[in-house]
């Protein structure tokens, strides 16, 4: 009898084994199918792009070719700043363009310095950034062509309500920075810098240059990351920082955000040094033949067109206009 | 695909500049390395003290919920660093329960995060090391008239190589981790005058977090330099671990 029970047990174990094997093979099969499927799709798309160039249309199936041409969506790689991306502006512009061109816009959000570097490495078709000096260098070095103005907004100086550096309402950004540095040296204030060669960081350095002060000391914190990270740090430590107005507008209604706008930019009648112009540049196809120059130019035409400029003008966050179109 | 030659050159140029940065002890590179070693070192020392106490308590005594505790420790050996970073951040943020201590974005915050990450690993591996000590060691110590404490100390002594391996594993995890310290440390450098030259000096920037930011900003030589130092460190840790293991076997 015990033998019978053993056999029964073994059957049970085998049944369990079988079930396991079955389940495993189903899983494996599914994975294989997904991989094969992806492979086929990949192959199909390369074949169809190639067919336009090399292969003559297949004579046997002209109907297929005419009725349903397999259209591969072209891709435009845009290296841009975190401010255009985080502000949500591209979520308005890009879908309209994608519909027009039947293409996909792939956005690579980085600081301006990094966005330009991405394009210099040939990993982008187009840059949409804000640091005029660096943009001009990009074009002069032969990496970019057809630079156009798109829009502008401005920077503002944020700080804690207690305002230990007493900069509230100042009309000179340089004067405000001088006060922050003095309060920082005295141990009463801290400043948080992007420190990432972004457009905002470039502007910050320009303002320090205007003060004649080289910021140094433990009060001057360089974060090396994006606007959001820098605002988080400045808010946590109740320090001063320079921010683009767009990001500030998005952040000011956030739960727990306590920094206040202390010095205005030119959009609201403040210091002109705080103006923040955005430019768009196509990557030079002579430098990188692989870039999608045609699509890049179409995009530039689109954002500088009446339609594109209208979209920029009407874009609102929390009821406020973020960007002011100025394409010429 | 345009010219594999130039891409190789790009790589070599980066490596050469990186080696140069390391060899001439660039102050920025040195300060980042120092912060990494300080933060991970202190975190692992604190972890080791806690872990050895915890592992002893679990191995040498019986109590209710022991198995549950072991399971909890084993589960936490693989805690995702970013999640630990988030939890520590939520506690330390100005609005958090202990925000008044003003620890967020300081090396102390990073030490706390790495302590939480390393402790379960060191505890878990230590328990295995202690329990792999043959029963006869325990029994001999006991029959020689040792008290419970004597027995425990004797067993711990026998298990020391395993415990050292455990500590090295904890250190290895701490220096390889980026998610937690990036969130709670803030990746901050200060600009200071060193010998009359304005220098970036790390405050809460470590090798791992520096690699992420330098790469993103296109500062490839710096990124490679940090990568090399990090690799040397992990190699060193693994080398010691291997040596310890050999000794414990031989």
């Amino acid at each position: 009898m015990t033998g019978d029970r053993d056999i029964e047990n073994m059957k049970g174990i085998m049944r369990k084994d079988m079930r396991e094997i079955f389940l495993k093979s189903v899983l494996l099969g599914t994975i294989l199918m997904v991989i094969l499927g992806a492979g086929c799709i990949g192959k199909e798309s390369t074949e169809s792009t190639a067919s336009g160039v090399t292969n003559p249309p297949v004579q046997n199936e002209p109907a297929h070719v005419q009725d349903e041409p397999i259209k591969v969506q072209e891709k435009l790689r845009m290296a841009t700043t975190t401010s255009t991306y985080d502000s949500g502006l591209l979520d308005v512009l890009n879908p309209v363009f994608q519909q027009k061109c039947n293409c996909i816009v792939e956005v690579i959000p980085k600081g301006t310095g990094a966005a330009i570097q991405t394009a210099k490495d040939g990993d982008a078709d187009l840059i949409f950034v804000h640091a005029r000096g660096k943009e001009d260098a990009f074009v002069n070095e032969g990496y970019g062509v057809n630079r156009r103005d798109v829009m502008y907004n401005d920077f503002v100086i944020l700080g804690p309500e207690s305002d230990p550096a007493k900069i509230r309402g100042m009309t000179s950004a340089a004067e405000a920075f001088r006060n922050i540095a003095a309060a920082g040296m005295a141990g009463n204030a801290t400043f948080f810098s992007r420190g990432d060669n972004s457009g905002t960081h470039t502007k910050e350095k320009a303002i320090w240059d205007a003060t004649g002060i080289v910021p140094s000391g433990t009060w001057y914190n360089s974060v090396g990351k994006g606007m959001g990270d820098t605002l988080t740090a400045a808010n946590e430590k109740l320090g001063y920082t320079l921010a683009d107005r767009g990001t500030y507008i998005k952040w000011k209604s956030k739960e727990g955000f306590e920094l206040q706008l202390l010095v205005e930019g030119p959009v609201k009648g403040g210091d002109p040094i705080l103006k923040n112009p955005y430019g768009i540049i196509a990557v030079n196809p002579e430098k990188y033949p692989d870039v999608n120059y045609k699509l890049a130019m179409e995009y530039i035409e689109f954002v500088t067109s009446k339609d594109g400029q209208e979209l920029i003008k009407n874009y609102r966050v929390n009821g406020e206009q973020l960007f002011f179109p100025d394409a010429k | 695909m345009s010219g594999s030659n130039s891409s190789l050159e790009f790589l070599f140029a980066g490596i050469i500049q990186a080696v140069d940065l390391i060899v001439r002890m660039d102050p920025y590179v040195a300060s980042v390395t120092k912060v990494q070693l300080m933060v991970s070192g202190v975190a692992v020392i604190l972890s080791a003290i806690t872990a050895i106490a915890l592992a002893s308590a679990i191995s040498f005594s019986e109590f209710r919920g022991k198995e549950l505790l072991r399971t909890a420790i084993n589960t936490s050996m693989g805690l995702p660093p970013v999640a630990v970073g988030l939890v520590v951040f939520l506690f330390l943020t100005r609005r958090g329960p202990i925000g008044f201590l003003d620890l967020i974005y300081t090396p102390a915050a990073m030490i706390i995060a790495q302590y939480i990450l390393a402790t379960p690993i060191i505890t878990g591996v230590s328990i295995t090391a202690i329990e792999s000590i043959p029963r006869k060691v325990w029994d001999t110590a006991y029959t020689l008239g040792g008290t419970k404490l004597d027995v425990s100390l004797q067993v711990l002594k026998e298990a020391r190589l395993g415990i050292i391996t455990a500590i090295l594993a904890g250190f290895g995890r701490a220096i390889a981790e980026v998610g937690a310290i990036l969130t709670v440390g803030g990746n901050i450098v200060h600009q200071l005058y060193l010998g009359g030259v304005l220098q970036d000096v790390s405050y809460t920037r470590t090798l791992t977090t520096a690699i992420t930011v330098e790469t993103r900003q296109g500062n490839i030589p710096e990124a490679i330099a940090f990568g090399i130092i990090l690799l040397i460190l992990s190699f060193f840790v693994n080398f010691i671990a291997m040596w310890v293991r050999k000794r414990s076997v031989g």
Side-chain angles (χ1 to χ4, degrees):
Chain A
M1 290 309 273
T2 44
D4 276 0
R5 237 197 5 245
D6 280 352
I7 290 169
E8 276 308 304
N9 273 343
M10 273 176 64
K11 272 187 185 163
I13 290 165
M14 278 176 68
R15 238 177 267 136
K16 220 178 125 201
D17 276 0
M18 296 290 278
R19 205 158 53 220
E20 218 169 88
I21 290 168
F22 173 72
L23 284 174
K24 275 184 185 163
S25 37
V26 167
L27 190 70
L28 199 70
T30 318
I31 293 169
L32 274 176
M33 265 164 65
V34 169
I35 293 170
L36 283 177
C40 285
I41 291 166
K43 217 163 123 192
E44 209 167 63
S45 56
T46 44
E47 271 170 5
S48 53
T49 32
S51 71
V53 190
T54 51
N55 301 342
V58 183
Q59 288 300 316
N60 301 348
E61 298 179 54
H64 170 76
V65 172
Q66 280 165 4
D67 287 355
E68 278 181 55
I70 306 166
K71 261 211 158 161
V72 181
Q73 289 202 311
E74 279 188 280
K75 201 165 72 179
L76 176 68
R77 298 167 304 168
M78 178 199 293
T80 184
T81 76
T82 43
S83 50
T84 53
Y85 184 74
D86 291 345
S87 67
L89 176 68
L90 294 179
D91 296 334
V92 172
L93 288 176
N94 290 357
V96 178
F97 180 69
Q98 289 188 154
Q99 197 123 58
K100 265 192 173 143
C101 68
N102 187 32
C103 64
I104 296 168
V105 182
E106 188 181 281
V107 179
I108 314 164
K110 296 183 170 187
T112 289
I116 289 175
Q117 190 60 46
T118 305
K120 276 188 178 175
D121 292 339
D123 294 330
D125 305 314
L126 178 73
I127 59 172
F128 189 2
V129 295
H130 60 130
R132 179 59 67 84
K134 285 186 176 142
E135 291 167 36
D136 290 342
F138 181 73
V139 173
N140 291 338
E141 288 163 20
Y143 288 104
V145 285
N146 195 41
R147 187 197 170 284
R148 297 283 304 271
D149 289 323
V150 178
M151 59 194 190
Y152 71 93
N153 64 4
D154 62 354
F155 294 102
V156 292
I157 304 176
L158 309 180
E161 195 188 355
S162 62
D163 189 20
K166 306 256 176 306
I167 63 164
R168 192 187 302 273
M170 280 187 159
T171 48
S172 157
E175 203 60 39
F177 268 33
R178 222 172 270 143
N179 276 18
I180 294 170
M185 305 284 193
N188 300 324
T190 52
F191 184 88
F192 285 80
S193 164
R194 288 278 293 269
D196 62 349
N197 289 322
S198 58
T200 310
H201 186 209
T202 308
K203 178 64 77 178
E204 182 211 315
K205 285 194 282 194
I207 300 170
W208 285 118
D209 282 348
T211 64
I213 297 172
V214 181
S216 77
T218 53
W219 61 273
Y220 184 81
N221 301 278
S222 177
V223 176
K225 291 194 283 179
M227 196 71 249
D229 296 296
T230 309
L231 283 178
T232 306
N235 185 46
E236 281 296 332
K237 293 298 192 187
L238 293 177
Y240 290 94
T241 192
L242 181 73
D244 64 283
R245 186 185 295 272
T247 312
Y248 166 68
I249 289 174
K250 264 192 106 166
W251 274 64
K252 71 175 180 187
S253 54
K254 272 192 190 177
E255 176 75 32
F257 189 73
E258 289 177 33
L259 298 185
Q260 298 185 344
L261 195 162
L262 298 175
V263 174
E264 280 286 2
V267 167
K268 296 268 168 79
D271 194 339
I273 196 176
L274 293 172
K275 186 173 178 188
N276 181 24
Y278 285 78
I280 195 161
I281 312 172
V283 173
N284 189 351
E286 282 171 26
K287 202 99 178 176
Y288 290 105
D290 291 346
V291 297
N292 201 330
Y293 179 67
K294 187 179 82 62
L295 218 48
M297 291 306 290
E298 276 176 33
Y299 192 91
I300 293 175
E301 226 156 80
F302 164 68
V303 289
T304 53
S305 73
K306 224 182 115 210
D307 287 354
Q309 295 277 296
E310 199 72 15
L311 283 170
I312 292 168
K313 196 175 131 197
N314 294 330
Y315 182 61
R316 296 278 188 285
V317 170
N318 295 339
E320 291 193 53
Q321 182 176 353
L322 286 194
F323 299 103
F324 299 81
D326 71 344
K328 285 143 217 154
Chain B
M1 272 321 204
S2 48
S4 60
N5 228 351
S6 68
S7 23
L8 268 183
E9 266 166 36
F10 160 77
L11 191 64
F12 280 127
I15 292 174
I16 287 166
Q17 288 177 56
V19 170
D20 182 52
L21 282 172
I22 298 171
V23 170
R24 65 183 166 81
M25 297 263 285
D26 177 77
Y28 170 57
V29 173
S31 73
V32 168
T33 312
K34 212 173 94 190
V35 170
Q36 174 86 64
L37 288 175
M38 200 273 286
V39 165
S40 297
V42 173
V44 168
I45 288 169
L46 295 177
S47 286
I49 295 168
T50 315
I52 293 168
L54 206 59
S56 307
I58 291 173
S59 305
F60 297 130
S61 58
E62 293 299 327
F63 52 90
R64 264 178 57 192
K66 182 172 160 173
E67 277 314 301
L68 197 71
L69 187 59
R70 287 182 68 146
T71 313
I73 287 167
N74 285 334
T75 313
S76 352
M77 283 172 81
L79 283 177
V82 276
V84 171
L86 174 64
V87 171
V88 174
F89 180 86
L90 292 175
F91 271 84
L92 296 187
T93 170
R94 212 151 36 74
R95 287 159 286 149
I98 48 171
F100 62 90
L101 292 175
D102 200 26
L103 288 178
I104 194 72
Y105 301 130
T106 63
M110 299 155 81
I111 290 172
I112 293 171
Q114 295 212 326
Y115 170 81
I116 294 173
L117 282 169
T119 303
I121 294 182
I122 306 181
T123 311
V125 179
S126 294
I127 290 175
T128 315
I130 292 169
E131 293 184 345
S132 69
I133 298 302
R135 208 60 223 178
K136 65 172 192 235
V137 174
W138 306 56
D139 296 341
T140 314
Y142 188 71
T143 47
L144 285 174
T147 61
K148 205 173 168 196
L149 183 69
D150 294 329
V151 176
S152 308
L153 287 177
Q154 187 57 35
V155 172
L156 274 184
K157 206 178 141 200
E158 292 290 325
R160 64 187 183 278
L161 293 175
I163 292 172
I164 292 171
T165 310
I167 295 170
L168 290 171
F171 187 71
R173 174 140 166 105
I175 57 165
E177 177 275 319
V178 56
I181 40 176
L182 193 60
T183 309
V184 303
N187 194 43
I188 292 167
V189 294
H190 289 144
Q191 282 187 6
L192 300 174
Y193 276 104
L194 292 183
V197 187
L198 194 65
Q199 278 291 347
D200 277 351
V201 177
S202 166
Y203 176 54
T204 57
R205 187 171 296 181
T206 64
L207 294 168
T208 50
T209 64
I211 289 174
T212 63
V213 296
E214 299 299 352
T215 309
R216 212 172 39 192
Q217 289 171 34
N219 302 331
I220 301 302
E222 280 84 357
I224 297 177
F226 293 129
I228 292 173
I229 297 173
L230 198 56
L231 279 176
I232 291 172
L233 274 178
S234 345
F235 176 80
F236 193 62
V237 168
N238 278 298
F239 184 78
I240 298 176
M242 211 175 67
W243 181 74
V244 166
R245 221 173 298 134
K246 257 195 191 145
R247 257 192 67 172
S248 67
V249 170

